[in-house]
């Protein structure tokens, strides 16, 4: 289940309803899917064949299509990252800079852990959303953020897009970010 850490105060928010309410107040969508649906052989697997990726997408097809129809997403894919991923550190450097997009950034975590760092309202500042299997988050296009891995450096996530070529990151320079880490 997702947890939130507010960086300025180190306050933690736990529990699905509390997390959902906090994120809703920050204009961020949060849902939770049943990760137990995933076949046991794929639950902790981070190097996936195309067939295994298709199997994960098929397992969550109903949830993906429901979210897509409610939010206008037209395409989706699956990303799997681990220490076995070629050039993982270079990829993470690209991910780990604050940016915005021309559309929502959506992740539905099916295995592993990840973290969104999001710029909240003025009274909140930056906060971390720690995600694990079953957590689904959609950060609106206008909200500065970035996504990265947690200490285990393993994740499998469904990404949903409005534009068929995917979203484009636009760097967001914010002197307040370096102060809030």
């Amino acid at each position: 289940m997702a947890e939130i850490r507010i960086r300025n105060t180190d306050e933690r928010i736990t529990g699905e309803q509390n997390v959902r309410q906090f994120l809703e107040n920050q204009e961020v969508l949060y849902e939770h899917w049943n990760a137990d649906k995933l076949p046991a052989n794929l639950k902790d697997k981070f190097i996936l064949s195309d067939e295994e990726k298709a199997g994960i997408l098929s397992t969550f097809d109903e949830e993906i299509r429901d979210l897509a129809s409610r939010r206008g997403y037209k395409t989706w894919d699956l990303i799997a990252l681990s220490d076995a991923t070629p050039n993982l550190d270079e990829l993470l450097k690209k991910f780990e800079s604050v940016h915005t997009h021309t559309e929502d950034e959506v992740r539905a975590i099916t295995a592993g852990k990840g973290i969104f760092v999001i710029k909240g309202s003025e009274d909140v500042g930056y906060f971390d959303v720690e995600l694990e299997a079953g957590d689904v988050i959609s950060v609106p296009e206008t909200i500065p953020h970035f996504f990265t891995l947690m200490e285990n450096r393993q994740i499998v996530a469904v990404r949903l897009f409005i534009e068929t070529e995917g979203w484009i990151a636009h760097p967001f320079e914010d002197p307040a970010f370096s102060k809030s880490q």
Side-chain angles (χ1 to χ4, degrees):
M1 195 65 56
E3 280 192 26
I4 295 169
R5 180 181 71 93
I6 299 173
R7 288 176 164 229
N8 292 334
T9 63
D10 213 30
E11 174 189 355
R12 286 212 167 256
I13 299 170
T14 60
E16 184 174 352
Q17 284 307 110
N18 296 331
V19 166
R20 187 184 312 269
Q21 183 62 50
F22 175 85
L23 291 174
E24 185 178 299
N25 290 340
Q26 299 300 313
E27 301 179 17
V28 175
L29 172 80
Y30 173 77
E31 297 181 0
H32 193 80
W33 294 350
N34 180 7
D36 291 336
K37 288 177 59 171
L38 196 64
N41 65 317
L42 295 175
K43 283 191 180 194
D44 290 313
K45 189 165 186 186
F46 300 95
I47 302 170
L48 300 166
S49 68
D50 289 343
E51 184 177 294
E52 290 167 325
K53 288 178 180 180
I56 293 170
L57 290 171
S58 176
T59 298
F60 292 101
D61 186 66
E62 183 178 330
E63 293 88 344
I64 293 167
R65 290 184 185 282
D66 175 61
L67 180 59
S69 70
R70 286 184 284 126
R71 307 278 296 189
Y73 305 130
K74 297 177 183 158
T75 188
W76 43 88
D77 67 11
L78 193 82
I79 185 168
L81 299 173
S82 71
D83 283 325
T85 303
N87 304 315
L88 179 64
D89 289 323
E90 288 176 34
L91 281 173
L92 292 177
K93 283 179 190 172
K94 182 177 129 183
F95 293 166
E96 294 173 351
S97 59
V98 180
H99 59 269
T100 60
H101 295 289
T102 56
E103 63 177 86
D104 302 346
E105 183 167 344
V106 186
R107 295 285 185 282
I109 311 304
T110 64
K113 296 180 179 182
I115 186 167
F116 263 104
V117 178
I118 301 171
K119 184 173 184 168
S121 58
E122 289 299 317
D123 60 319
V124 171
Y126 280 89
F127 59 92
D128 302 340
V129 184
E130 300 170 3
L131 304 164
E132 59 186 38
D135 291 325
V136 180
I137 190 169
S138 177
V139 180
E141 63 186 270
T142 58
I143 295 180
H145 67 278
F146 70 83
F147 180 80
T148 192
L149 302 180
M150 292 179 69
E151 67 282 345
N152 69 347
R153 293 170 53 100
Q154 297 176 319
I155 197 162
V156 177
V158 177
R159 305 182 304 174
L160 292 93
F161 307 96
I162 294 172
E163 297 297 327
T164 54
E165 57 277 348
W167 45 253
I168 298 169
H170 300 283
F172 183 85
E173 297 298 324
D174 187 356
F177 175 70
S178 61
K179 296 176 192 171
S180 65
Q181 292 195 36

